[in-house]
Amino acid sequence: MKIIQGALLCVIFGSASIATTTAFTSPITTGLSGKIFGVVAKSSAFGGSALTVQSRVGATSTARNMLADDEEFDDEEGPLSDGVDSVSWLPTVVGGEDIEVESIRDGAEILPLFPLGGLVYTPNSEHVLNIFEPRYRQMYTDILMNGSKRFVVTMSHPTEQGRFAQTGVLFELEDLKEVSEQTADQIKYICNHKVTGRVKLHKILNPEAWSNRDTYLKVEGTITDDTGKETEESKESFDETDVYGAVAAAKEASLSPAEKSLRDSFQALVNIQHDLEEDVRFTKASVDSLAISDGPGEDGLWQTIRLWQSYVEQRLVGRQNELQMDFQEKLQDFLMKEKGLNNDELPSAIGFQDLSPALQEEVKELQKRMAVELEPLILESTLTMQKILEAEDHTARCKLVRYFINNERNRLNAKKTLQGMFSPATLSAETVDEDDEEEKEDSITAPKSIFTDEEDAFQ
């Protein structure tokens, strides 16, 4: 389990960690663009869109997503209806034999392959990798020596060893630091990369390397460039004095039907998030600045896709916090009563063996519960991003993003309906006098929070 950033206390045992925290009491650093999400966070990489994170933890548990009423997808057969098999996978390399390359298909290239677990990366994002395995040390040496400075990254199958997604992304090395002396050779390189495109993987050429681990895998793949270089070259032909005219013309350009439907669905989602005062929600200003165009720029759809990925991650962390609330109170009580610590003396981490036997058992049970409840949600979010990554074109991506937004909107609509049926205001109306009713409603419907959603957060 990962340590939650901003945690108050962390229990560490073996290779696992459980962090305990009251809620989003400090900014959360995302691994998407190095930006900080706090009260209202803005990132230029997200095209002006933003998330608001409330300090309280909601009482409702994460419900299974309801299928959206969307004309592109049958309600009974959504894009993830086949589970893990909803995305495309290469055959497993386990037991495979190396292929002698005589020729490759038109437009394809032979590229190094670096599988990275259950992570899905998106075009035009930046990432840092720490390199320590000998085979990948060799890979970096090779791409530096031949000048290509690039390799393919793809996600691994969640249950089958040696099986990888058929669509990956192209990592381009931008900076490399040799840190073997500083880390006693535990880490060889710290490398910065930019994702410059997607790659359709056709076949792995040396599957035997997966088992013997004497070198890295190589793959035949076709690259789809997502840097927008061709667009930039065409823009160079414009007169620089006509920049303002070009901007005005761009604003007047009509959205495609798929883009308009996506924006409408996003606006509906934001509205219901604010109606319900969701702990993690988009700001209202993000509707007008939603990035949905076809291209790599700040107004490109990939920016919104990364924002959606961050939103899902924030919700998962919120649910993880909920599960840990009760344990944190017991842990604090143990440290203050049994260990004699004051509130300002509480440590940031405590060893598992330092806990009482009762708390040790609770930690084990909490880990089991979190695995049962959170792992399926994490897998679903990963498959969602992989499905978007392998979409055929911009229109298909717009439809998929809209589908998943509608799923979330339906979940919140169901939550809103339940709140209306069982709201405290409704139940108390039968037993309180009319003079007291307004005062009670105020206490229910106007919770105070130090976190606010500013309408002009991006002006």
Side-chain angles (χ1 to χ4, degrees):
M1 292 186 182
K2 295 181 179 178
I3 298 176
I4 301 175
Q5 296 180 8
L8 179 61
L9 293 171
C10 178
V11 178
I12 302 175
F13 59 111
S15 60
S17 303
I18 286 187
T20 58
T21 175
T22 53
F24 296 108
T25 54
S26 63
I28 298 174
T29 304
T30 68
L32 301 176
S33 64
K35 302 299 179 181
I36 303 296
F37 285 89
V39 181
V40 177
K42 173 187 175 183
S43 165
S44 60
F46 290 150
S49 297
L51 288 172
T52 297
V53 183
Q54 294 288 82
S55 62
R56 61 185 174 85
V57 176
T60 58
S61 62
T62 303
R64 182 179 179 182
N65 284 347
M66 298 172 60
L67 289 173
D69 182 15
D70 196 305
E71 67 272 13
E72 285 82 26
F73 301 100
D74 189 334
D75 282 354
E76 298 299 326
E77 298 182 2
L80 298 181
S81 60
D82 292 330
V84 174
D85 292 332
S86 299
V87 301
S88 302
W89 303 94
L90 291 171
T92 180
V93 297
V94 176
E97 297 182 356
D98 291 354
I99 301 172
E100 185 176 347
V101 180
E102 297 180 354
S103 63
I104 60 175
R105 67 192 67 197
D106 292 340
E109 299 181 38
I110 296 178
L111 300 160
L113 176 63
F114 194 166
L116 283 178
L119 299 176
V120 178
Y121 299 92
T122 55
N124 304 304
S125 56
E126 297 181 1
H127 306 279
V128 177
L129 299 180
N130 297 330
I131 307 303
F132 52 89
E133 279 196 64
R135 53 180 169 172
Y136 295 119
R137 294 185 183 194
Q138 182 61 47
M139 184 189 78
Y140 276 86
T141 299
D142 291 347
I143 64 174
L144 286 171
M145 292 295 292
N146 62 31
S148 65
K149 295 185 179 181
R150 60 184 188 175
F151 54 91
V152 181
V153 170
T154 190
M155 72 173 289
S156 301
H157 196 283
T159 59
E160 298 183 34
Q161 287 290 326
R163 197 172 184 194
F164 312 112
Q166 195 170 19
T167 301
V169 294
L170 191 68
F171 267 44
E172 187 167 311
L173 180 63
E174 294 195 326
D175 183 58
L176 180 146
K177 294 180 180 179
E178 164 73 62
V179 293
S180 54
E181 290 186 6
Q182 297 93 313
T183 63
D185 206 38
Q186 294 296 309
I187 298 176
K188 177 69 171 178
Y189 301 125
I190 296 179
C191 308
N192 297 325
H193 312 80
K194 183 171 182 179
V195 180
T196 58
R198 288 159 288 146
V199 183
K200 176 69 173 294
L201 281 61
H202 304 301
K203 57 185 175 182
I204 294 175
L205 304 176
N206 58 336
E208 295 177 14
W210 179 252
S211 300
N212 58 40
R213 305 173 72 89
D214 61 354
T215 188
Y216 53 90
L217 296 172
K218 296 181 181 179
V219 64
E220 178 187 334
T222 301
I223 299 171
T224 299
D225 181 72
D226 287 302
T227 60
K229 291 179 179 178
E230 295 181 0
T231 304
E232 291 177 3
E233 290 174 359
S234 64
K235 286 181 179 179
E236 291 178 0
S237 62
F238 285 100
D239 187 348
E240 292 183 2
T241 60
D242 194 34
V243 170
Y244 294 105
V247 172
K251 288 184 177 181
E252 294 297 324
S254 60
L255 299 175
S256 71
E259 291 170 344
K260 186 177 185 304
S261 296
L262 173 57
R263 174 163 289 178
D264 291 344
S265 291
F266 182 76
Q267 181 167 15
L269 173 63
V270 172
N271 289 341
I272 192 171
Q273 284 180 337
H274 284 260
D275 289 344
L276 294 173
E277 296 184 336
E278 284 293 287
D279 301 320
V280 182
R281 66 193 184 201
F282 297 101
T283 63
K284 291 184 177 179
S286 65
V287 176
D288 293 332
S289 58
L290 187 67
I292 54 178
S293 66
D294 184 8
E298 292 187 358
D299 60 345
L301 180 62
W302 286 115
Q303 313 298 344
T304 291
I305 291 171
R306 285 200 295 281
L307 181 63
W308 184 258
Q309 186 177 32
S310 179
Y311 167 73
V312 173
E313 289 172 354
Q314 298 276 9
R315 281 195 56 233
L316 287 171
V317 171
R319 181 58 186 146
Q320 187 174 4
N321 289 344
E322 285 185 49
L323 294 173
Q324 297 177 110
M325 287 289 289
D326 183 56
F327 173 76
Q328 179 190 327
E329 293 177 1
K330 294 179 181 179
L331 179 57
Q332 288 178 323
D333 187 65
F334 167 77
L335 292 172
M336 297 176 72
K337 291 183 178 179
E338 301 295 329
K339 299 293 185 180
L341 300 178
N342 296 322
N343 191 54
D344 58 353
E345 297 175 330
L346 294 176
S348 59
I350 182 172
F352 179 72
Q353 297 301 327
D354 296 329
L355 299 176
S356 66
L359 283 178
Q360 289 181 6
E361 288 301 315
E362 288 212 28
V363 168
K364 294 177 182 178
E365 290 301 317
L366 179 58
Q367 278 201 314
K368 293 178 183 178
R369 184 181 175 192
M370 291 172 71
V372 169
E373 185 163 339
L374 296 181
E375 285 183 6
L377 298 177
I378 294 171
L379 176 60
E380 181 181 347
S381 66
T382 301
L383 295 177
T384 294
M385 297 307 300
Q386 181 64 30
K387 192 69 177 178
I388 293 173
L389 189 68
E390 65 183 34
E392 293 182 0
D393 53 31
H394 174 70
T395 298
R397 283 190 290 276
C398 284
K399 291 179 179 179
L400 279 169
V401 175
R402 181 189 173 219
Y403 177 88
F404 295 120
I405 286 176
N406 285 344
N407 257 3
E408 176 66 2
R409 192 180 69 184
N410 286 348
R411 183 188 72 84
L412 294 179
N413 277 326
K415 177 180 176 180
K416 186 176 182 179
T417 300
L418 290 174
Q419 285 187 352
M421 293 172 60
F422 303 106
S423 66
T426 302
L427 296 176
S428 63
E430 300 177 1
T431 58
V432 300
D433 295 332
E434 291 184 1
D435 294 339
D436 298 330
E437 192 168 321
E438 183 176 350
E439 181 179 350
K440 287 185 177 291
E441 279 192 12
D442 289 341
S443 66
I444 293 168
T445 60
K448 294 183 179 179
S449 172
I450 61 173
F451 291 80
T452 58
D453 179 10
E454 299 176 329
E455 296 288 345
D456 59 346
F458 305 109
Q459 291 180 0

